[in-house]
């Protein structure tokens, strides 16, 4: 894209008008691009796909930039609470086992000193 020419932003109403003209009037993507001064017929193809999949309100969604892939889905609150409770139980069990191991080692040291 040449320098100094900003990207065009099209309104959802305009996108809907173009897609419906293509579908109803039988215009090709190239003809519609020239008629409505849209840069590239691929843009109209993507608008038509969105229109057919999501309806006219899908054209209002901003789709610029890359998709985020690091976003994880939230678990249901009940599952999340259960997992947190299990983590707390396991941490308590781990602390108990560490204390128990320390007591056993201390007892072994005492027994070893008595033998000498």
């Amino acid at each position: 894209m040449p320098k100094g020419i900003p990207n065009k932003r099209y309104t959802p109403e305009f996108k809907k008008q173009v897609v419906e003209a293509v579908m109803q009037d039988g215009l090709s993507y190239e003809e519609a691009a020239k008629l409505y001064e849209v840069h590239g017929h691929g843009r109209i193809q993507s608008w038509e796909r969105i229109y057919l999949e999501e309806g006219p309100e899908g054209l209002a969604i901003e789709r610029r930039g890359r998709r985020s892939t690091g976003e994880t889905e939230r678990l249901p609150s009940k599952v999340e609470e259960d997992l947190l409770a299990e983590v707390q139980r396991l941490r308590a069990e781990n602390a108990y086992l560490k204390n128990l191991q320390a007591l056993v080692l201390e007892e072994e040291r005492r027994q070893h000193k008595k033998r000498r």
Side-chain angles (χ1 to χ4, degrees), residues 20-38:
E20 289 177 348
V22 168
M23 293 169 59
Q24 292 171 357
D25 300 339
L27 295 175
S28 70
Y29 298 123
E30 292 84 4
E31 291 171 341
K34 288 178 186 174
L35 182 65
Y36 290 98
E37 298 177 1
V38 175

Side-chain angles (χ1 to χ4, degrees), residues 18-77:
V18 172
V19 170
E20 289 177 348
V22 168
M23 293 169 59
Q24 292 171 357
D25 300 339
L27 295 175
S28 70
Y29 298 123
E30 292 84 4
E31 291 171 341
K34 288 178 186 174
L35 182 65
Y36 290 98
E37 298 177 1
V38 175
H39 182 71
H41 67 275
R43 182 166 290 160
I44 297 174
Q45 285 177 319
S46 65
W47 291 348
E48 185 179 33
R49 179 190 52 78
I50 292 167
Y51 184 89
L52 292 173
E53 289 177 0
E54 303 175 20
E57 53 277 348
L59 295 172
I61 300 171
E62 186 72 28
R63 299 175 194 270
R64 292 183 301 150
R66 295 184 180 180
R67 292 185 177 136
S68 70
T69 56
E71 189 82 23
T72 57
E73 294 181 18
R74 297 279 304 176
L75 294 172
S77 61

